[in-house]
Amino acid sequence: MEKNTSLEKLRRIDRECCLLARSASLLHWDLETYLPAQGVEERSEQLALLESLCHERFTSTETGRLLDELGSSADNPRGDEKLPDLERDFLRRTRMDYDRKKKLPLDFVAAAAKAEGLSQAAWVEAKTNNNFAAFLPHLETMIDFARRQSLYWGFEGRVYDGLLDIYEPNMGVSEIASVFTPLRERLSALLKKIASKPEPDFSFLNSGFDAQTQAKFNLELMKYLEFNTQRGRLDVSAHPFTTTLGSNDVRITTRYLPDNFLSSIFSTIHECGHAFYELDIPEELHVTCLADGASMGVHESQSRLWENVIGRSLPFWEGLFPVLKKCVPDRFDSVKAEDLYRAVNLAKPSLIRVEADEVSYSLHIILRFELEQGLFSGAIKASDLPSLWRTKMKEYLGIVPETDTQGVLQDVHWSHGSFGYFPSYALGNLYGLQFFRKLKEDIPDFDNILLKGKFSPIHEWLRDNIHKWGRRLSPGELLKKVTGEELSVDPFLKYIEEKYTAIYRI
Ligand code: ZN
């Protein structure tokens, strides 16, 4: 009885914190979609207030006392073994979050939240005007907050490990470098072979698609993928993203570039992959700290599985082509599904990460990983980033951006202070292919499903094997449960090498 009361009290605190966090997410979503430019200053203050309220509520001595009463400690985070498994998983997460958050002083949390809003707005302007110098002071502030956060958590001497751990628990610099090294070697070798082959013609895709036409098709595409539009919506932002505002309200965004129709299409598919994960969280986990993905890498495995393994396959385009032709009449009369398939799989070094092909994509990530490592070891100054960016682009991809807008300013992450996030994308590719191998074993008529555009067996498999766990398992535990394996680069590299060897007839 006593235990139940403690559990109920702890669950109430958790619920309140979730509700506060999602209210803040709504303000963030608005900041990145519709907020008028002059509303930024006050919005940053609103966000800082919500963040502080949430922090104060969660890190109160009451939370610590309740965790203790339920037998949860640093050594035994799952607490009392007589409790049901779900409750013990809840205790483990809460204990880990609590031990971490209580190390951050309240004024630090509020100041970081306020700086983040201003920094993000400054980044949008700096990117629009190709003005890195205007963003630099904000970037330096965000680097400083990130460094201090990692130090509060006790990562002296290995600050970047502390930041990586936020997004991918237990994956530090050396673990990540050990998978990135073979990735870099084999993907660079494959890119070189592809460069010697003739480039497919994709001119039918890169001009004259106005925002209205693209918006119409992207909305159809979202429904085609079986996104329930009663439980979410699609909007436009500078950088596509997904955010969960409620258990039945998951927002995604895309962007419409007049000379690049594929950019909006693949952003929409990618963000749908994230949204499916969030929307599949079972009711028993709703509005709790367990209502999230296992890690950012696992979240990215879902978005990149939909975007690439499904969205860049021939049967998928054979199924989707009639929908595209209906939305955009006359433009594709002389084009075959096979031409589209080759066009969406063009492998060629390019400047922008989110538009990179599957082969060169991970090289963009490795570049960012190395720069972040340098920033937090002290080897690199923020002011050196534009020139180092160009040097590394030349080295890894053989091309150099002419502007910072197309270089160091292209991604939103650093403006948010999200250092250590980028490796999740490349890890997501690895998890994604490991999961996919199992999915294909269980669903042998996978290609036929894509051809027909009836995706429910895939949705069900992902829900029953991955999504239903929410944040109950660590990424390693989830991977083991689904595939029986540890993290490996092999399935991803095998998939990439086989696919592109066939497309380019190497
Ligand atoms: Zn993503």
Side-chain angles (χ1 to χ4, degrees):
M1 192 62 203
E2 190 88 330
K3 289 241 152 60
N4 269 343
T5 317
S6 303
L7 195 57
E8 279 160 21
K9 282 182 186 161
L10 191 62
R11 282 213 170 260
R12 196 160 52 237
I13 293 173
D14 178 52
R15 189 174 176 88
E16 285 173 13
C17 290
C18 275
L19 293 170
L20 281 170
R22 285 179 177 176
S23 307
S25 297
L26 172 58
L27 296 184
H28 257 297
W29 170 84
D30 178 67
L31 174 73
E32 297 199 34
T33 49
Y34 295 105
L35 185 74
Q38 292 189 11
V40 171
E41 184 95 32
E42 201 171 307
R43 174 59 47 86
S44 302
E45 213 176 314
Q46 295 163 352
L47 281 164
L49 175 63
L50 278 179
E51 191 80 40
S52 316
L53 288 173
C54 196
H55 187 80
E56 229 170 351
R57 183 76 181 112
F58 185 67
T59 57
S60 65
T61 46
E62 191 190 2
T63 308
R65 183 176 49 77
L66 293 168
L67 280 165
D68 292 345
E69 282 172 17
L70 290 156
S72 170
S73 62
D75 295 334
N76 176 33
R78 299 183 80 231
D80 188 340
E81 48 192 55
K82 289 196 275 314
L83 289 168
D85 269 345
L86 175 62
E87 303 302 348
R88 299 196 72 202
D89 291 344
F90 165 71
L91 287 180
R92 175 167 80 153
R93 257 322 149 185
T94 310
R95 168 55 76 185
M96 284 160 65
D97 291 348
Y98 176 75
D99 284 351
R100 189 154 275 207
K101 286 187 180 164
K102 79 170 177 184
K103 291 181 180 155
L104 301 179
L106 183 59
D107 56 352
F108 172 85
V109 172
K114 182 152 191 218
E116 185 188 328
L118 297 174
S119 164
Q120 205 252 328
W123 166 77
V124 171
E125 216 179 304
K127 185 179 169 180
T128 309
N129 303 322
N130 185 36
N131 186 355
F132 179 77
F135 177 54
L136 181 60
H138 293 275
L139 179 59
E140 284 170 338
T141 303
M142 296 320 288
I143 292 170
D144 184 53
F145 275 115
R147 177 178 290 114
R148 280 157 63 200
Q149 176 170 277
S150 186
L151 291 174
Y152 278 128
W153 289 335
F155 285 90
E156 282 95 10
R158 47 189 201 105
V159 169
Y160 190 41
D161 276 348
L163 302 174
L164 290 166
D165 193 72
I166 301 172
Y167 306 100
E168 215 51 36
N170 309 318
M171 293 284 282
V173 172
S174 60
E175 288 80 7
I176 291 175
S178 73
V179 288
F180 279 6
T181 305
L183 270 187
R184 201 181 122 184
E185 286 163 4
R186 282 173 59 183
L187 293 174
S188 300
L190 181 59
L191 262 188
K192 279 207 185 82
K193 284 187 200 161
I194 291 173
S196 66
K197 295 286 173 180
E199 209 176 276
D201 174 24
F202 60 101
S203 52
F204 58 89
L205 272 169
N206 54 9
S207 68
F209 294 97
D210 58 50
Q212 214 178 358
T213 306
Q214 293 194 41
K216 188 174 155 202
F217 176 66
N218 275 276
L219 200 58
E220 281 305 314
L221 174 60
M222 191 179 168
K223 292 182 199 156
Y224 181 78
L225 296 172
E226 299 172 8
F227 189 117
N228 178 354
T229 50
Q230 298 294 305
R231 301 180 68 204
R233 52 177 286 141
L234 174 67
D235 290 273
V236 176
S237 66
H239 199 294
F241 68 99
T242 300
T243 188
T244 298
L245 305 184
S247 310
N248 290 298
D249 181 3
V250 177
R251 311 280 175 103
I252 64 171
T253 68
T254 191
R255 60 180 171 192
Y256 304 123
L257 310 175
D259 56 350
N260 192 344
F261 195 5
L262 292 183
S263 171
S264 65
I265 294 175
F266 285 100
S267 292
T268 298
I269 303 176
H270 180 100
E271 302 308 333
C272 277
H274 283 302
F276 295 146
Y277 198 167
E278 296 286 314
L279 289 166
D280 276 347
I281 299 288
E283 214 173 314
E284 62 189 8
L285 308 185
H286 282 180
V287 206
T288 71
C289 62
L290 298 174
D292 202 344
S295 69
M296 266 336 294
V298 175
H299 231 302
E300 287 302 327
S301 78
Q302 300 307 290
S303 53
R304 299 192 62 77
L305 181 74
W306 279 95
E307 179 191 350
N308 294 323
V309 182
I310 295 174
R312 289 185 208 269
S313 70
L314 181 57
F316 177 79
W317 278 97
E318 285 173 328
L320 182 63
F321 203 20
V323 183
L324 177 65
K325 280 183 171 167
K326 209 171 150 200
C327 276
V328 195
D330 308 328
R331 286 297 298 265
F332 297 100
D333 289 348
S334 59
V335 177
K336 295 195 289 292
E338 170 85 22
D339 301 329
L340 268 170
Y341 171 65
R342 284 183 56 86
V344 303
N345 286 296
L346 172 78
K348 187 184 178 185
S350 61
L351 298 172
I352 307 297
R353 175 186 62 85
V354 293
E355 278 141 29
D357 61 84
E358 286 180 283
V359 185
S360 58
Y361 185 87
S362 300
L363 299 173
H364 288 265
I365 298 304
I366 293 169
L367 174 151
R368 287 154 176 78
F369 169 68
E370 291 176 359
L371 289 177
E372 288 186 341
Q373 224 180 307
L375 277 175
F376 291 98
S377 71
I380 294 176
K381 290 202 300 282
S383 54
D384 296 335
L385 284 170
S387 70
L388 284 169
W389 189 282
R390 289 191 284 272
T391 311
K392 282 193 182 284
M393 279 299 288
K394 178 87 188 147
E395 188 186 341
Y396 296 164
L397 289 146
I399 50 173
V400 179
E402 279 175 23
T403 64
D404 290 333
T405 298
Q406 291 188 307
V408 68
L409 286 173
Q410 66 180 268
D411 289 309
V412 69
H413 306 60
W414 290 346
S415 78
H416 285 167
S418 300
F419 302 96
Y421 187 117
F422 285 118
S424 311
Y425 295 112
L427 295 173
N429 284 334
L430 309 186
Y431 288 127
L433 260 296
Q434 288 183 269
F435 290 141
F436 176 64
R437 218 161 47 161
K438 183 74 175 91
L439 181 153
K440 237 186 145 179
E441 250 172 61
D442 294 349
I443 309 179
D445 65 338
F446 178 78
D447 285 356
N448 206 24
I449 289 170
L450 300 195
L451 197 62
K452 287 200 215 125
K454 301 280 178 219
F455 302 102
S456 14
I458 298 174
H459 284 297
E460 276 161 30
W461 190 93
L462 292 172
R463 186 177 60 231
D464 294 345
N465 287 280
I466 298 170
H467 303 170
K468 75 163 183 193
W469 291 103
R471 207 172 155 228
R472 290 179 68 177
L473 303 173
S474 72
E477 289 165 346
L478 179 67
L479 187 64
K480 192 95 185 170
K481 198 177 257 302
V482 179
T483 66
E485 298 165 1
E486 310 283 336
L487 183 67
S488 161
V489 292
D490 297 337
F492 172 70
L493 284 172
K494 187 168 183 283
Y495 153 82
I496 284 280
E497 286 168 350
E498 281 178 6
K499 179 174 172 181
Y500 287 88
T501 300
I503 291 177
Y504 282 90
R505 300 190 179 95
I506 292 167

